[in-house]
Amino acid sequence: MRIKLMLAAALAAAAAASASAAGGAEPTASSAAKKRPKLTITKGDFGPVLTNGRGRALYVFTSDSGKTSNCYGDCARAWPPYVVKAKPRAVGDARQGLVGTTRRTDGRLQATYAGHPVYYYIGDNAPGQVLCQAVEEFGGFWYVIRASGKVVR
């Protein structure tokens, strides 16, 4: 009986410590929003352009039809879509009213900006790096985009 009481006390203490470390409350909508993927604007060689929360440049593809992506297979291996679990939030100079999502044919959610699906370029590895601006590949051109939603030509 004494061991059971000691075990129960230890479990209660651990639960109290865990609640205290977590702030003692359930996650709020505000904390959930902070965990959403981010879109921001980063300055680089092409001026201020749209990037993810880590500063990786995002591109639009001229062969897409509105919010519908036309980049799959080899195209998506070279130009991976910015796949998200929830609608991103705009930070800094990015505009929340231009942020959205679209459903890809495989069911995954892809971020959009100004109504265009956005993609990474596989060769861009450093924050702000833009190696394939205005390149024609896979039946269309690839452009970085400004906070306004206009492409950089």
Side-chain angles (χ1 to χ4, degrees), residues 39 50 66-68 82 84 88 98-103 110-118:
L39 290 173
L50 186 70
K67 287 178 68 174
T68 303
Y82 183 23
V84 296
L98 297 179
V99 176
T101 59
T102 189
R103 189 72 60 186
Q110 181 174 359
T112 63
Y113 196 77
H116 303 283
V118 292

Side-chain angles (χ1 to χ4, degrees), residues 58-59 69 71-73 75-84 104 106 108-111 117-121 142:
L58 294 166
Y59 297 77
S69 173
C71 182
Y72 291 90
C75 177
R77 282 185 278 287
W79 296 91
Y82 183 23
V83 173
V84 296
R104 295 179 58 78
D106 62 7
R108 296 183 303 160
L109 203 58
Q110 181 174 359
V118 292
Y119 306 83
Y120 300 106
Y121 172 61
W142 297 88

Side-chain angles (χ1 to χ4, degrees), residues 56-59 79 120-126 129-132 144:
R56 284 200 60 199
L58 294 166
Y59 297 77
W79 296 91
Y120 300 106
Y121 172 61
I122 193 109
D124 291 347
N125 294 311
Q129 186 175 39
V130 175
L131 296 178
C132 273
V144 290

Side-chain angles (χ1 to χ4, degrees), residues 5 26 28 33 39 45-46 58 62 73-74 80 85 90 94 100 104-105 110 114 116-117 126 129 133 137:
L5 288 175
E26 292 293 315
T28 64
L39 290 173
D45 291 342
F46 292 93
L58 294 166
T62 61
D74 288 342
K85 292 186 190 271
R104 295 179 58 78
T105 60
Q110 181 174 359
H116 303 283
Q129 186 175 39
Q133 167 65 2
E137 281 189 325

Side-chain angles (χ1 to χ4, degrees), residues 35-57:
K35 292 181 182 180
R36 288 191 344 227
K38 298 174 189 160
L39 290 173
T40 190
I41 303 299
T42 301
K43 292 182 179 141
D45 291 342
F46 292 93
V49 298
L50 186 70
T51 62
N52 71 358
R54 295 182 178 164
R56 284 200 60 199

